[in-house]
Amino acid sequence: MSNGAIRVGLSTSTIEPALTHGRLDGIGVYTNALLQGLSSLAVAADISQVQGFSFPHLSFRQGVAAAQCTVGRPMPHSFVVSSVIDSVTPKAIKHRLPMPVDVVHVTDYRIIRMNCPIVATLHDAIPLQYPEWCSPRLRQQKNWLQKKAAQKADHVIALSHFSVLELVKFFGINEQCITVVPCGVADEWLQAPAQDAIDATLAQHGLQPGYFLFVGTLQPRKNIERILMAYLGLPAEIRAVRQLVIVGRAGWQCDLLIKKILAAQQCGEHVVWLNSLSSGEQLRHVYKAAGVFVFPSLHEGFGIPVTEAFASGVPVITSNTTSLPEVSAGAALEVSPLSINEIGTAMLDLVRDEQLRARCIAAGLQRASQLTWRHTIEKTIEVYRSVL
């Protein structure tokens, strides 16, 4: 580091097209926002370099691993191999990035010993707290690896105060080494897309404006089955004019959910599953045309879709548990995620009570204006400087 300017290395494995197939989950959205935001604020924040680096998949074919990385420079080894090196070599031996940096920011659990300070964003402790919600493949080994990796960070960023408690309890991280930096939304989310573009997206996917919307990966903690059951319990006249639109790729332990979605469709219910929507612009269109956003997740470290719905001017239903009340700050209808009746009642209230809708929309837009990626980036840079 010279003249106060910082060289930042940012992990980009979660946004590599070859590794994600072009579909970004919440960590990918966060990572992409950091990469773009740090670059755009580089001059103002006295950052001389922002360089991405990615862990390729484990490959025994020379050249294949490096070819998988197009966003960041490829690391010499996959994360698995790098972790093995960490475990069998003395702690004094540290990895180097393909280029010199002053601080490394890792946006998920893929943390290895480095020759410079490490800032790590840890989103939650779900694999350790609720292992039954996660992929069973190598679950025990992955959980051990994640816990060991977390302890290699010099400083940790948590996305909510709720997450701090989890990180301390399940990862054994010193609370003094954790800073809360919430996520946000990009400026374009606060600007209405062109109506003809929205209409084209809706026509392409067979959608009618005013639908109930969910966005997220199909997995147990997202609570989509209860959303579906609440929707099917609504009066027939409501279901006849309002679709239930589920946007998200198939995750793990979702076979039964998919069968129920398909069964509802076969019974003539207006349930739409968009499992291949990879365009960020089209996603904005789908949000904007929604009547109600339904997100009663069982567990979230933050919940970026809630902020996206707020910014899109859509009234939101979310959970009264984990980090979600902290994120919504009273701008959403909060329900018990375990109560199908509460979810369904809130859905009905937001389509029948225009004054309630208007209050939720206004409060959501106000909350979205407080949660911007620019604020996230500025607070993150403060963390870098405090560590250095």
Side-chain angles (χ1 to χ4, degrees):
M1 186 170 63
S2 61
N3 299 323
I6 303 175
R7 298 169 298 178
V8 179
L10 179 69
S11 66
T12 49
S13 303
T14 58
I15 58 175
E16 287 287 353
L19 306 180
T20 64
H21 306 291
R23 301 178 185 179
L24 300 185
D25 59 7
I27 299 178
V29 171
Y30 172 81
T31 303
N32 193 54
L34 281 181
L35 181 61
Q36 295 182 8
L38 287 170
S39 299
S40 65
L41 290 179
V43 175
D46 203 11
I47 294 176
S48 62
Q49 177 186 5
V50 180
Q51 178 61 59
F53 68 93
S54 301
F55 287 107
H57 280 319
L58 181 64
S59 175
F60 298 101
R61 293 174 55 195
Q62 187 175 9
V64 171
Q68 295 171 344
C69 302
T70 58
V71 177
R73 293 191 185 183
M75 292 293 288
H77 308 289
S78 69
F79 174 65
V80 172
V81 172
S82 298
S83 298
V84 171
I85 293 172
D86 269 4
S87 66
V88 300
T89 57
K91 291 185 177 180
I93 296 177
K94 300 183 178 182
H95 302 266
R96 294 178 178 271
L97 288 186
M99 63 293 172
V101 298
D102 300 305
V103 62
V104 167
H105 187 172
V106 182
T107 59
D108 62 4
Y109 69 91
R110 283 174 275 204
I111 310 167
I112 58 176
R113 293 197 301 263
M114 301 297 299
N115 65 333
C116 64
I118 299 172
V119 173
T121 299
L122 299 181
H123 300 258
D124 52 55
I126 289 172
L128 298 175
Q129 187 174 9
Y130 300 103
E132 67 276 13
W133 289 349
C134 302
S135 172
R137 185 172 178 269
L138 300 176
R139 177 190 295 160
Q140 188 172 356
Q141 295 90 331
K142 288 178 180 178
N143 288 356
W144 177 85
L145 191 63
Q146 186 168 348
K147 189 170 184 178
K148 296 292 287 186
Q151 295 168 355
K152 298 172 187 173
D154 296 285
H155 198 85
V156 169
I157 289 176
L159 304 181
S160 63
H161 293 281
F162 167 80
S163 291
V164 173
L165 304 177
E166 285 195 329
L167 298 178
V168 171
K169 179 178 180 180
F170 292 97
F171 289 104
I173 299 171
N174 183 346
E175 188 171 353
Q176 300 301 315
C177 295
I178 305 176
T179 300
V180 175
V181 181
C183 294
V185 288
D187 292 343
E188 59 263 25
W189 281 85
L190 295 167
Q191 302 167 4
Q195 188 59 49
D196 58 346
I198 296 175
D199 294 340
T201 295
L202 299 190
Q204 178 182 342
H205 298 288
L207 306 181
Q208 299 297 322
Y211 42 78
F212 298 102
L213 175 66
F214 167 85
V215 176
T217 303
L218 275 60
Q219 55 177 296
R221 71 181 176 91
K222 295 299 184 179
N223 209 23
I224 304 168
E225 189 170 335
R226 287 192 178 91
I227 297 174
L228 176 62
M229 295 174 70
Y231 173 78
L232 295 177
L234 296 179
E237 63 270 19
I238 297 292
R239 304 199 312 277
V241 296
R242 293 183 184 270
Q243 300 162 304
L244 172 62
V245 179
I246 299 168
V247 177
R249 62 178 176 84
W252 42 92
Q253 300 183 37
C254 65
D255 292 346
L256 180 59
L257 170 63
I258 292 174
K259 288 180 181 178
K260 291 185 176 182
I261 291 173
L262 296 177
Q265 292 173 338
Q266 291 168 359
C267 291
E269 296 291 346
H270 297 161
V271 178
V272 180
W273 176 30
L274 301 181
N275 64 344
S276 60
L277 189 69
S278 59
S279 164
E281 192 65 22
Q282 285 202 337
L283 180 61
R284 286 180 59 213
H285 300 161
V286 171
Y287 268 109
K288 190 65 179 177
V292 179
F293 185 70
V294 191
F295 197 78
S297 178
L298 296 172
H299 192 289
E300 294 291 332
F302 186 81
I304 290 176
V306 170
T307 62
E308 293 173 341
F310 282 159
S312 300
V314 182
V316 173
I317 299 167
T318 195
S319 300
N320 60 7
T321 60
T322 68
S323 68
L324 290 165
E326 186 179 334
V327 174
S328 65
L333 293 188
E334 297 174 7
V335 299
S336 166
L338 300 177
S339 173
I340 296 170
N341 181 62
E342 285 191 32
I343 297 170
T345 298
M347 293 166 77
L348 271 181
D349 288 344
L350 283 176
V351 299
R352 287 177 167 173
D353 189 334
E354 288 299 326
Q355 290 186 340
L356 177 64
R357 282 182 58 81
R359 287 200 302 271
C360 286
I361 290 171
L365 288 170
Q366 175 63 26
R367 182 60 176 149
S369 70
Q370 299 166 353
L371 296 169
T372 66
W373 282 125
R374 183 182 180 90
H375 177 262
T376 301
I377 304 304
E378 290 173 344
K379 298 298 289 184
T380 300
I381 294 171
E382 289 180 13
V383 173
Y384 296 162
R385 293 200 174 279
S386 70
V387 170
L388 292 173

